[in-house]
Amino acid sequence: MTSTGDERAAMTRAFELARRGPEHDPNPRVGCVLLRPGPAASTAGPTTVGEGWHRGAGTPHAEVAALADAAARGEDTCGVTAVVTLEPCSHTGRTGPCTDALLAAGVARVVVAVRDPNPVAAGGVEILRAAGVEVVTDVLADEGRALLGAWLPAVGADRPFVTLKTATTLDGRVAATDGSSRWITSSVARRHAHELRAQVDAIVVGTGTALRDDPTLTARTADGTLAGAQPLRVVVGHRDVPRDARLRGPGGPLVQVRTHDPAHVLRELAARDVRRVLVEGGPTLAAAFLRAGLVDEVHAYVAPVLLGAGPSAVGDLGITSIAAAVRLEPVSVLPLGPDVLVVATPVREV
């Protein structure tokens, strides 16, 4: 069973609807379009009778929102096709199962982009098929996975998705020997880094960075004002954050995790529904996450600057031979003014 051209067009519309949902939410962004097939004897294509998207945790899921939209339009949903970007859920959480809502509405066909990797919510496809509903999966699946972003690997790994960010000279230094580091990269690269901060749920640094640099760890717009959504500001380590630290100023909530264990940090953040983490702070913390195998992606901002000495971006990894090096696979290279951003993923041993 395959999808039609009209259904693929509706899926593209569902992606657009899904992007209206919040980026910083424990739930995925999902969109849904309800199509009524054209009359059998007519060449007319299907018509849209309802649209919806998920507006955040605790609100109706996209399918239920689309059904409500159809009801508000005075449309009968019996026999319609539901085109949805993520497999309809089959469990009761803050809201009821979407499979129940679709079946009660008389939906005859469901077209899905991505199967749900969450074992708690998955199984909707099987439930719908068992009830006699036609189901087509993996329709524009690549686009669907791109829409889900870090939520997808985070659910699959049962922990937040971790991006390690570095900003270095061409010879890998993060500061000069006197400790000065402002500014290694250009204003163009720094603006891009703030855009990255605005996309994550939490920024993590060690106590060394918090005490030495007194950072704000905020996401800012191009004009320097605070972005609308601010990530958690997380400090890892046992030393206290000073009362007058800028981390206690305007921005996201401050969270201190008194441990040196990256896995413990991620468990704490997962309990707070954090899906995407940006590790920014210090060679020691970067090395700890890399040694633990808990880095999913590296964003390396590199400036055409040479220092020849000073701390490096990553501390001791315990590697003594080139054969044991942490290998990365480049994903993209982006020029940013005079600088370059290299995005790469660690090569996992199989």
Side-chain angles (χ1 to χ4, degrees):
M1 191 181 301
T2 60
S3 61
T4 67
D6 290 318
E7 289 169 344
R8 290 189 290 276
M11 185 66 77
T12 298
R13 171 59 178 168
F15 293 149
E16 295 173 1
L17 294 169
R19 293 187 186 96
R20 298 181 183 180
E23 287 188 53
H24 299 280
D25 193 82
N27 290 347
R29 293 194 289 180
V30 181
C32 179
V33 174
L34 300 179
L35 297 178
R36 182 183 307 288
S42 171
T43 58
T47 57
T48 298
V49 299
E51 296 183 333
W53 67 93
H54 185 48
R55 298 171 186 265
T59 66
H61 287 189
E63 300 92 323
V64 175
L67 292 170
D69 181 48
R73 301 184 191 196
E75 297 282 359
D76 180 10
T77 56
C78 186
V80 303
T81 295
V83 178
V84 60
T85 60
L86 183 66
E87 178 182 11
C89 69
S90 60
H91 80 297
T92 300
R94 298 182 187 181
T95 59
C98 292
T99 50
D100 288 0
L102 294 171
L103 292 173
V107 171
R109 180 175 166 92
V110 175
V111 179
V112 175
V114 180
R115 295 291 299 264
D116 196 328
N118 186 349
V120 175
V125 164
E126 288 73 22
I127 288 173
L128 292 169
R129 283 175 174 160
V133 176
E134 293 182 355
V135 181
V136 182
T137 62
D138 299 317
V139 176
L140 302 183
D142 288 343
E143 292 91 331
R145 285 188 286 269
L147 168 70
L148 292 168
W151 178 87
L152 194 60
V155 169
D158 196 28
R159 64 163 176 81
F161 183 89
V162 175
T163 298
L164 172 63
K165 180 204 133 187
T166 62
T168 70
T169 63
L170 200 59
D171 53 347
R173 310 295 176 176
V174 294
T177 53
D178 65 357
S180 59
S181 61
R182 296 186 180 182
W183 295 103
I184 289 176
T185 56
S186 67
S187 59
V188 178
R190 295 197 299 275
R191 273 200 307 273
H192 188 277
H194 275 281
E195 293 173 4
L196 175 61
R197 283 182 172 186
Q199 296 169 12
V200 303
D201 304 308
I203 302 173
V204 180
V205 299
T207 52
T209 296
L211 297 174
R212 180 182 61 253
D213 296 345
D214 191 24
T216 60
L217 300 186
T218 54
R220 295 186 176 274
T221 61
D223 63 6
T225 58
L226 288 174
Q230 291 294 317
L232 294 178
R233 297 180 284 187
V234 182
V235 177
V236 175
H238 298 289
R239 289 177 287 177
D240 292 331
V241 176
R243 291 181 180 274
D244 61 349
R246 294 199 296 169
L247 282 170
R248 299 189 184 276
L254 173 61
V255 176
Q256 185 157 12
V257 185
R258 297 181 185 275
T259 182
H260 292 137
D261 179 5
H264 183 179
V265 174
L266 296 184
R267 285 194 296 270
E268 290 271 348
L269 296 179
R272 295 173 179 266
D273 290 329
V274 167
R275 293 294 187 191
R276 184 165 184 182
V277 168
L278 182 63
V279 175
E280 281 203 6
T284 301
L285 191 67
F289 272 85
L290 286 166
R291 283 198 308 269
L294 294 174
V295 173
D296 300 295
E297 181 180 74
V298 175
H299 282 226
Y301 295 86
V302 183
V305 176
L306 297 172
L307 283 172
S312 61
V314 178
D316 185 6
L317 292 174
I319 294 172
T320 58
S321 70
I322 195 68
V326 176
R327 300 285 179 176
L328 305 176
E329 182 173 348
V331 174
S332 64
V333 178
L334 177 66
L336 294 168
D339 307 322
V340 172
L341 169 63
V342 178
V343 177
T345 56
V347 177
R348 307 295 187 190
E349 292 185 3
V350 295

